[in-house]
Amino acid sequence: MLAQHDAPIIAIATAPGRGAVGIVRVSGKNLGALIQALCGRGLKPREATYMPLPDETGAPIDHVLALHFPGPNSYTGEDVLELQAHGGPVVLQLILARCLRVAASLNQQGVPLLGGLRLAQPGEFTQRAFLNHKLDLAQAEAVADLIDASTEAAARGASRSLAGAFSNEIHQLRDALIHLRMLVEATLDFPEEDIDFLKQADAQGQLNRLQHNLARVMAQTKQGALLREGIRVVIAGQPNAGKSSLLNALAGAELAIVTPIAGTTRDVVQQTIQIDGVPLHVVDTAGLREHPDVDEVERIGIARAWEQIGQADAVLFLHDLTRKDDAAYAAADLQIEQTLQGKLDAHVPVLHLWNKADAQSTAAALPTQATHLTLSAKTGDGLPALRQQLLHLVGWQGGGAEGMFMARGRHVQALHEVDEHLMLANASLQAQVPALDLLAEELRLSQNALNAITGEFTSDDLLGVIFSSFCIGK
């Protein structure tokens, strides 16, 4: 749930641990009295002041840079005080405690200098920026995405979202939708105008253009979600097909133990790599087999492998090229493939990889589909083609990272809701006897779904979930 946002808050705004510089941040209304008591002087707005910060005995805790950002021209929209000190955890805790004690001290009227000052909850500074209309919700989420970015492309995309690139696209869709709603609502208010009025105003053309622009934004948003959340790729196959070797080759490190003994991999091993700036979460799993020698530990590993496969965005089904003509091996591969078809959603791609090409003396006759690749996890042959095919299978278009903005799964879902409502609106408009009341309702629901992206129509529960994922001090 959202925290009470009218009380002043304080937190250490830099990462835990030792560092060159650490920051203690205070946000609230009317910080002047606290600043005067804490620093012994007033501070010029937005001007750094180098000074000793004394404790209650007058001895300096540290020499700090003090900055005062009066509201509403601050990050949170409230008065903000930042104290930049040496980045030792003890020093920062001493400054934090000093601020709390000064805030609780009484003035001449017997009133605390800054009553109610408390430690900030995770994300509460950015939450206040949102509540005070300094950022919309998509921009606020981009703050966390920028901090969490694991690739250069992700950082650039988050920066563009923070600057408002994604929000601007949503606002343009919303403005067009509002204009169309005005026409429909006016027709409902003046039924004598009826359909002729909508035809003259090109309501159908406006709706078509809106759907076209929505499709473009949806495609961009899907790319942004891939950039932020990455792709979960599960390597599956029989024992000794080379799954762990493939994970090691993709990661460029010896992460998984590789031996010729069947059942070596007993548990899930995961590593995140990047391809063209897209995070790729590669999961190695236990070999899939049914054999009397399978013990209880390996059986649990196989069960976990199937669990991972069920959560995959893409599956790499690894085959051993050297055993391709072994009838028992081929039958087991076929059984795994049939089980995959039953466990995976239709939209989850399965890429068939024929490994150990380096050990195959003659070229084997393999299927020619794009979903079948030959490679060698040992030598690295075929890995570049595998990387590019993976991006293609999950819909990464690439080439436009400079213009890419960051997005989240909830944004993609909200835009799908808009698309569904607009399709129903189009059906209502094109009916032999247009149902204008249904058309108006679908357009209203479309606008609500758009507003949920930027936070203009969002439940407090959703806000609580979003901001609780931030770090404390941000």
Side-chain angles (χ1 to χ4, degrees), residues 12-28:
I12 297 172
T14 42
R18 299 169 58 193
V21 177
I23 298 174
V24 174
R25 176 182 290 162
V26 185
S27 179

Side-chain angles (χ1 to χ4, degrees), residues 335-406:
Q335 183 177 2
I336 293 173
E337 184 172 5
Q338 292 172 343
T339 307
L340 282 173
Q341 292 174 352
K343 286 184 174 290
L344 294 176
D345 291 335
H347 68 275
V348 177
V350 177
L351 190 58
H352 294 263
L353 305 180
W354 296 87
N355 188 29
K356 305 184 183 180
D358 59 293
Q360 186 72 8
S361 57
T362 59
L366 298 175
T368 57
Q369 300 100 308
T371 54
H372 288 256
L373 295 176
T374 302
L375 56 83
S376 170
K378 181 177 181 180
T379 66
D381 290 342
L383 289 184
L386 168 60
R387 292 186 178 99
Q388 295 307 311
Q389 184 67 4
L390 269 173
L391 294 180
H392 174 72
L393 285 176
V394 296
W396 177 251
Q397 297 173 1
E402 289 301 319
M404 192 70 64
F405 52 72
M406 191 69 80

Side-chain angles (χ1 to χ4, degrees), residues 185-450:
E185 296 289 348
T187 305
L188 288 173
D189 290 338
F190 302 98
E192 64 274 7
E193 301 290 341
D194 207 14
I195 299 304
D196 290 337
F197 177 74
L198 291 180
K199 288 182 178 179
Q200 292 172 6
D202 191 25
Q204 184 65 63
Q206 290 188 43
L207 182 54
N208 291 342
R209 287 189 293 273
L210 183 57
Q211 289 181 292
H212 174 77
N213 290 331
L214 174 63
R216 175 182 56 80
V217 175
M218 287 176 68
Q220 290 179 291
T221 305
K222 183 179 179 182
Q223 299 294 293
L226 282 175
L227 196 61
R228 177 187 183 271
E229 299 170 3
I231 308 161
R232 186 173 183 81
V233 179
V234 176
I235 307 174
Q238 295 189 57
N240 289 340
K243 298 183 298 300
S244 297
S245 297
L246 179 59
L247 171 66
N248 293 342
L250 288 171
E254 296 297 320
L255 302 175
I257 299 173
V258 178
T259 76
I261 302 173
T264 297
T265 300
R266 299 295 187 97
D267 207 347
V268 173
V269 180
Q270 178 173 322
Q271 177 67 16
T272 298
I273 63 175
Q274 60 167 298
I275 303 175
D276 291 350
V278 178
L280 196 73
H281 312 296
V282 185
V283 181
D284 179 26
T285 59
L288 305 174
R289 64 169 177 165
E290 294 183 6
H291 194 277
D293 293 339
V294 173
D295 58 28
E296 184 62 24
V297 175
E298 187 179 353
R299 187 173 293 108
I300 293 172
I302 293 172
R304 291 183 178 180
W306 283 115
E307 289 177 6
Q308 293 295 323
I309 290 168
Q311 300 168 11
D313 297 315
V315 174
L316 302 182
F317 187 3
L318 204 60
H319 308 273
D320 186 344
L321 192 56
T322 64
R323 291 185 280 171
K324 180 177 181 296
D325 296 327
D326 184 321
Y329 182 82
D333 261 4
L334 180 60
Q335 183 177 2
I336 293 173
E337 184 172 5
Q338 292 172 343
T339 307
L340 282 173
Q341 292 174 352
K343 286 184 174 290
L344 294 176
D345 291 335
H347 68 275
V348 177
V350 177
L351 190 58
H352 294 263
L353 305 180
W354 296 87
N355 188 29
K356 305 184 183 180
D358 59 293
Q360 186 72 8
S361 57
T362 59
L366 298 175
T368 57
Q369 300 100 308
T371 54
H372 288 256
L373 295 176
T374 302
L375 56 83
S376 170
K378 181 177 181 180
T379 66
D381 290 342
L383 289 184
L386 168 60
R387 292 186 178 99
Q388 295 307 311
Q389 184 67 4
L390 269 173
L391 294 180
H392 174 72
L393 285 176
V394 296
W396 177 251
Q397 297 173 1
E402 289 301 319
M404 192 70 64
F405 52 72
M406 191 69 80
R408 297 189 171 202
R410 79 170 192 91
H411 302 151
V412 175
Q413 181 180 356
L415 290 175
H416 276 298
E417 290 179 18
V418 176
D419 186 44
E420 291 173 359
H421 289 305
L422 289 184
M423 286 192 292
L424 292 173
N426 205 351
S428 297
L429 185 58
Q430 292 183 357
Q432 187 173 4
V433 179
L436 299 186
D437 52 346
L438 295 179
L439 171 61
E441 177 63 10
E442 294 300 338
L443 294 179
R444 184 187 69 82
L445 294 173
S446 298
Q447 185 178 344
N448 284 349
L450 282 178

